[in-house]
Amino acid sequence: MPGGGFVRLPGGSVVVALTLPRPSGEGGDVRVLVHAANRARALTRLRNLGMRAVYLRGNAQPPTPDEITAVLHHPDGLLWRGAPDGAAELWHPIRALLGR
């Protein structure tokens, strides 16, 4: 299972980061960030978008401070970019990944 993790923010909400295979089947992984009230709601947001087999097991790869800042400043609170070497790539809204 791909890695992931979460960080609880001072206000009580969480930022969940998951490294998942590309849904389009192109190969490679993507790093997905979700801001939600709790971990269960964050995973539900992804499942509602069609990513059915998304689970968070452990906290091996929590979001970095830069990732937390990016997702908190996005109106949807749901971003992605290529992983693991996507540090030079900008963050994209989730609809760009899912082709909506």
Side-chain angles (χ1 to χ4, degrees):
M1 187 74 209
F6 70 96
V7 170
R8 185 165 304 280
L9 301 174
S13 62
V14 297
V15 174
V16 174
L18 296 166
T19 303
L20 305 168
R22 282 188 190 268
S24 61
E26 295 173 8
D29 293 334
V30 293
R31 181 81 165 169
V32 179
L33 301 175
V34 185
H35 180 234
N38 56 45
R39 286 181 291 175
R41 287 190 184 187
L43 296 176
T44 299
R45 287 185 73 187
L46 290 174
R47 290 181 188 130
N48 288 342
L49 292 171
M51 298 180 189
R52 299 288 180 212
V54 175
Y55 296 98
L56 179 61
R57 301 190 193 281
N59 200 15
Q61 297 176 348
T64 64
D66 289 339
E67 291 175 334
I68 294 169
T69 301
V71 76
L72 289 178
H73 285 89
H74 192 271
D76 293 338
L78 197 55
L79 300 171
W80 72 276
R81 74 174 173 194
D85 55 7
E89 183 181 356
L90 297 176
W91 290 100
H92 308 283
I94 199 71
R95 62 186 163 274
L97 178 65
L98 302 175
R100 289 188 175 174

